[in-house]
Amino acid sequence: MELDSLYQEVILDHYRSPHHKGLSDDKDIQVHHNNPSCGDEITLNLKVQEGKVSDISWDGVGCSISMASASVMSDLLIGKTFREANVIFEAFMELMQSKGRSDGDESLLEDGVAFAGVSKFPARIKCALLSWMAFKDAAIQVME
Amino acid sequence: MELDSLYQEVILDHYRSPHHKGLSDDKDIQVHHNNPSCGDEITLNLKVQEGKVSDISWDGVGCSISMASASVMSDLLIGKTFREANVIFEAFMELMQSKGRSDGDESLLEDGVAFAGVSKFPARIKCALLSWMAFKDAAIQVME
Amino acid sequence: MNLDLSEYKKDFPIFQRKVRGGNSLVYLDSAATSQKPTAVIEAESNFYRTINAAVHRGAHLLAEEASDAFEMSRSNVASFIGADSSEVVFTKSATESLNIIAYSLGNPDSRINIKSGDQIVVTEMEHHANLIPWQQLAKRTGASLSWLSFTEDGRIDLSNIKDVINSKTKIVAVTHQSNVFGTILPIDEISKAARAVGALVVLDACQSAPHFPINVKELDVDFLAFSGHKTLGPTGIGVLWGKHQLLEKLEPVVFGGSMVDSVTMTGATWASAPRKFEAGVPNMAQAVGLSAAIDYLRSIGLNNIAEYEHELTKYLLEGLASMSGIKVIGPLDLKDRGGVISFTVDGVHPHDVGQVLDQYGIAVRTGHHCAWPLMRKLKIAGTTRASFHLYNNREDIKQLIDGIEKVKSYFKVAK
Amino acid sequence: MNLDLSEYKKDFPIFQRKVRGGNSLVYLDSAATSQKPTAVIEAESNFYRTINAAVHRGAHLLAEEASDAFEMSRSNVASFIGADSSEVVFTKSATESLNIIAYSLGNPDSRINIKSGDQIVVTEMEHHANLIPWQQLAKRTGASLSWLSFTEDGRIDLSNIKDVINSKTKIVAVTHQSNVFGTILPIDEISKAARAVGALVVLDACQSAPHFPINVKELDVDFLAFSGHKTLGPTGIGVLWGKHQLLEKLEPVVFGGSMVDSVTMTGATWASAPRKFEAGVPNMAQAVGLSAAIDYLRSIGLNNIAEYEHELTKYLLEGLASMSGIKVIGPLDLKDRGGVISFTVDGVHPHDVGQVLDQYGIAVRTGHHCAWPLMRKLKIAGTTRASFHLYNNREDIKQLIDGIEKVKSYFKVAK
Ligand SMILES: Cc1ncc(COP(=O)(O)O)c(C=O)c1O
Ligand SMILES: Cc1ncc(COP(=O)(O)O)c(C=O)c1O
C-alpha cells in the first residue's frame, strides 16, 4: 500500500521510541521552531565542541514523521563536524525534493533513507524537515 | 429607433438652449452635486419666498440628459409651493423608476414627460436625477 | 433518516472524480471550504461568457447588464440574511470583512471609533480571522483585548460575562459557530450583555450562514461576516454586513475607483455605503456565483439542510462514542451544535490520522484549524475534524468510522 | 495589416452574443476590463469541478492538489513579470495591491515606513487607485504628497523632476501606462530620479502588464501591481509584486488564518512573504484562472500583441485625425503609446457619444475614467475612450469611426 512507503517501520519505531528526546541542560543554544500550518512544535538544544556537533537534544509535539525525523537526525548528526553535518543536511534536503524518485544514500543518511517515501507526499515534507530546519537555524546562530 | 425614445426632441431642445442656466446672485442656499461615476456636476441656487420656490438658477457640466433635466425642472418648480414641488418631484421619481412602462402625467410634469424613455436606460436615470437631487437637498437645507 | 437530501449530491461535479487509491471522494472538510454545485460554477462562467464588463462605470449595454447582475446579487445576499441591500458589502473573504471593520473602527475619522482605554472582547475559541484583526486594532489604538473563555465541553463560558463585557467594552466580536467544537453560541445573551454597556456586536457567521437560516435583525448584531466559498459559492468573495446607519458613520478602508464622491489631487470624499467600501472593479463574477449558491441553498431550504446535518452529526457522535480511544473535542450532546466534529485518536497524531483516512478517499482536516489559542488552552497539538454539508450522507460517516478503525490498527493502537 | 491575430477572437465566447439592436459586439473597453477566453473560464470552473479544497491546510489529496495548482499559478505569474515566486502576492485586485503597500508602509512596525515630514510623489495622471491610497497614507502619517504634472499632449512632464523628487521623497508611485492618454511613462528616468534620493518606486502596471512584456528587474522598480481581470483573467484577483527583501521588512495588512507563524490570545507572529500577505482561504480558482490567462497570452506572444495593438492604434488615430470636431486627448503620435485612445466630440458630451455608439453595438467607456484630477486639469468633464485587446480588429475601428459620424449627425453637430 502507498501508505507503507510513507510510514516505513523504521519511522514508526523512531516515533514510538524517539532518540535524544528530552532537553538536556548542557547546551550552547536553544531554538524553537514550529509548523504553523499544523501546529507541530520542536525545541532543540545544540551543544558544540571543537567544531563538532557534540550534542543534540530536543522536545516537541508533532506527527510521527516530524518526531521520527528529529530522532533520526539527532542520531545522524551527533559527533559529526559541521562540515560533515552539512553534507548530510544537503543529502536529506535532496531526498525530500526527489518526489519519490530517489532512494537516498544509505551510507550517508542511514535510517534517514526511510524518509524517501515522504517526498511523494508534498504536505508531509515540511513535517520531515521541521527538526532539520531547527538544527540549521541553531547551527547558524551558534556560528555567529 | 430605440435611441429616439431616450433623446426626445424636447430634451435636445432644452439641452441646446437650457432655461435658468447661469447662477443668479439672489439666493437663499447654494448646493453642489455631482455624479461620481461620470463626473457630471451641477451647482444650484434656490430662493424661497412665502413657502414658495421663488427662484432656481443653476450651472453645470453634464450630458444632454442631465442638463436638459435641470432646465425642465427649473421651469416646472419655479413659482410652486414646496408642497406642489414635492408632488412633482415624486411624480418624476416614479416616472424614472417605471422601466419604460409609464408615459408620465403631462398635466403635472409638462416637458418632464419627455424623460419617460430614460427609465429604460438604467445608466442614464442618475443623469436625469442629478438636478432633482440637488433641488431636494437644497430644499431640505433651506427648511432646517 | 427522516430527511433525505441524497438527490442533491449529483449536482456537485467533484464527486464524479476518484481520489487516492481509486476511491470515491468522501469529503468531510466543508468547514474549510464547501464544494460547488454546477449551478454556481455555471453562473460564474456565464457571467464571463455573456455579460462581462466593469460595473458602475458603463455607458454600454454589457456594463449595464453586469451592473444589474451585480446589484441583484447584492439584493439576494441581503435577503438571505434579512438585511437591506445598502447594508451588504462584497469583500474578497470573511477575513477581509472582519479586517475592514477593525480598520475602519480604528480610524479616528470614523464617527464611531476605538480609542486608548477602550476594550475589545472576543472569545477564546475564535478563528484567527476574528482574533488577530482585533489584537492589531488594540495595538494600534491603545485599546485592550479581553475574552470570554470556554468550558471543558467546548461551550462558551458566560459565568463571568458581566466582568468581561463591562463599561469599557466598545466591541464584542464573536463567532456564531465554533469551527473546532461545532458549538453554536448564544448570541442573544452575548448581544444583551453588549447592549447593556453600549458595545457593538460583530458576528463571525462563517460557520453558520452556510448551514442554517440567519437573520441579522433577529440576531440583534451590528456587523456580520461570512465567506462565499463555504456557502457553496465561488472562492474570492465574502460578505460584510453592517447596519446602514453604522456603515454611514465609518470611513472606508480600501481606496480607489468607484468609491468616491469627488477627487482632487489633495483629497477625496466618499460615496455612500456600500459603494465606499468597494474600491476598484469588484469581484463581479464571484458575486453572481454567490447569488446562485444562495438560490440553490434556498431551493433546498436552510431549515432542511440544518435538520439533515443535525442527523448526520447525531450519527457520527454515536459512532465515535461506541469506539475506544476516541475523544470528541466539543459537545457530546446535540444541543446548539452544528455539523463540525473534532476528535482525537489516542496515540495517533491528527496529521497521521488524516493521512491514513486520505488513503481511503476520506478528506478531513487536521491541526489547529486556525484556532491555535483554543488548542493551547486544551493543551493539545490539534484535532482531526469532520465537517458536513448537504452533499454528505450516512455512508460517508460509515466510511469515516471504518477509516478510524483502520487508523487504529495501522498504528497498532490498542482496540 | 502585417500581423493577423484574427484567429484568436473565436476563443472569446462573449463575441457570439448580439447586443442592442441585434448588433454584433464591438468591444472597445478593455482598459476597464478585458474579455476572457474559454481557456480561462474553464480553468476556473475545472478547479471547482476537480480539485476544489482549501489550500495550505490540508492533509488530504484535494488540498494537496489545490495547493499545488495555487502555487504553480504563483510561479507562472512570477515568471510572467520576471520575478521570483516568493515575491508574488495574490490580492483581490490591483486596487487592493496598491492599498496593501500603502498601509504596510504606514505601519510604524514595518522596518521601512513613512513618517511625518516624508514626501510621497505621484503623477497628475494617476488612476484613483494609485492616488487616494497615497493621499490617505500622507494623511495618516503626516507625510506630504507631491506630483509630477503632464504636458498638453498627455506626456509626463519631467522638466521639474529634480524638484519634485527630492531628498524628502520616500516613495514614487506612478502608472506605467495612462488609462486615459495611453501614454507609456519613461519608468527608467523616473526610477533613476527616485534611486538618486533613495526613494522606493511603486509601479501601477494595470495598463501595461496585459498588453506588452514587462520585467520587474529591467524596470528597476520595488513594487508593482496589476489586475487579473484586465489581463484576460478572472475578476476577483490581482497581483502585488515586491522585492523579496522589501516584503520581508514589511508588516502584513490583512490578518487571519494561514499568514501566521504563531498565535496566542495576546499576539501573533507572521509567516514569511508572500504568505503573510495572504490571510484567509485565498481566491484559489481565480489564481488558477489568471495562470491560464498568462499561458494564453504567452502562447500568442506579448510582443505580437503589443505590435498588433500598435497597428490598431495607428489606424484609429489616423481615422480620428481625418474627422472634423474630434480632439484626441493624449499623444497624436505613436511613440511610447499603448492602445488606449481618448477623444472628445465637439458639442456632444461623452456620455451621449457612448450612448449612441452603444446603440450600434459599440462598447466604449465615457467619463473621467477614475482619473478625475487629470480631467480637472484639462478642464473637461470627461472623454470617450476606446481601448483594445488582441481580439479587436480593423473592422471594429471602422465601425467606431462610422459610429462617431452617426453621433455627430444624431446631435446635428456641424460636419
Ligand atoms: C491605471 C489603472 N490603475 C489601477 C486600476 C485599478 O484596477 P482594479 O479596479 O482592477 O483594482 C485601473 C483600472 O481600473 C487602472 O486602469
Ligand atoms: C469561524 C471562521 N471564521 C473565519 C474564517 C475565515 O474565512 P475565510 O478564510 O473564508 O476568510 C473561517 C474559515 O476559514 C472560519 O471557520
Side-chain angles (χ1 to χ4, degrees), chain A residues 49-74:
Chain A
Q49 237 164 1
E50 294 162 19
K52 278 194 177 167
V53 179
S54 73
D55 193 36
I56 293 173
S57 63
W58 60 276
D59 207 350
V61 284
C63 64
S64 55
I65 307 291
S66 69
M67 297 294 102
S69 181
S71 173
V72 167
M73 181 196 73
S74 308

Side-chain angles (χ1 to χ4, degrees), chain D residues 28 30 117 121 153 177 185 233 245 252 329 374 400 405:
Chain D
L28 294 170
S30 292
V121 171
D153 64 341
Q177 177 179 305
L185 274 71
Q245 69 272 30
I329 307 295
L374 179 160
L400 174 61
E405 287 300 351

Side-chain angles (χ1 to χ4, degrees), chain C residues 83-256:
Chain C
D84 192 82
S85 288
S86 67
E87 304 177 318
V88 169
V89 177
F90 284 119
T91 62
K92 71 172 174 178
S93 63
T95 299
E96 191 194 18
S97 303
L98 294 163
N99 276 272
I100 284 177
I101 312 170
Y103 269 106
S104 188
L105 288 169
N107 185 335
D109 289 342
S110 286
R111 276 174 287 143
I112 0 169
N113 57 59
I114 297 303
K115 298 184 187 65
S116 173
D118 289 346
Q119 191 188 254
I120 302 161
V121 170
V122 296
T123 82
E124 209 170 355
M125 56 167 108
E126 293 311 313
H127 187 280
H128 295 163
N130 198 30
L131 170 62
I132 311 179
W134 305 114
Q135 290 178 346
Q136 292 289 318
L137 172 61
K139 191 174 170 199
R140 277 196 302 277
T141 56
S144 65
L145 187 78
S146 312
W147 53 89
L148 294 163
S149 197
F150 55 80
T151 61
E152 195 110 322
D153 64 342
R155 300 209 174 266
I156 190 82
D157 180 358
L158 296 181
S159 62
N160 62 344
I161 189 168
K162 292 249 163 79
D163 298 330
V164 177
I165 301 180
N166 58 44
S167 62
K168 285 179 164 180
T169 307
K170 293 292 176 295
I171 302 170
V172 179
V174 297
T175 188
H176 200 177
Q177 177 180 304
S178 161
N179 70 316
V180 178
F181 295 134
T183 332
I184 299 169
L185 274 70
I187 301 308
D188 45 351
E189 287 178 64
I190 295 169
S191 281
K192 229 163 71 188
R195 296 298 171 222
V197 298
L200 296 172
V201 181
V202 178
L203 192 66
D204 175 354
C206 279
Q207 299 293 342
S208 56
H211 299 282
F212 55 86
I214 63 173
N215 180 300
V216 289
K217 292 199 188 72
E218 287 166 18
L219 283 164
D220 189 26
V221 296
D222 299 293
F223 297 100
L224 176 146
F226 71 96
S227 290
H229 70 91
K230 297 191 208 264
T231 315
L232 313 189
T235 61
I237 184 133
V239 171
L240 163 59
W241 167 83
K243 278 189 186 150
H244 189 74
Q245 69 271 33
L246 292 174
L247 292 182
E248 285 299 346
K249 290 193 176 119
L250 293 180
E251 285 291 299
V253 175
V254 183
F255 306 97

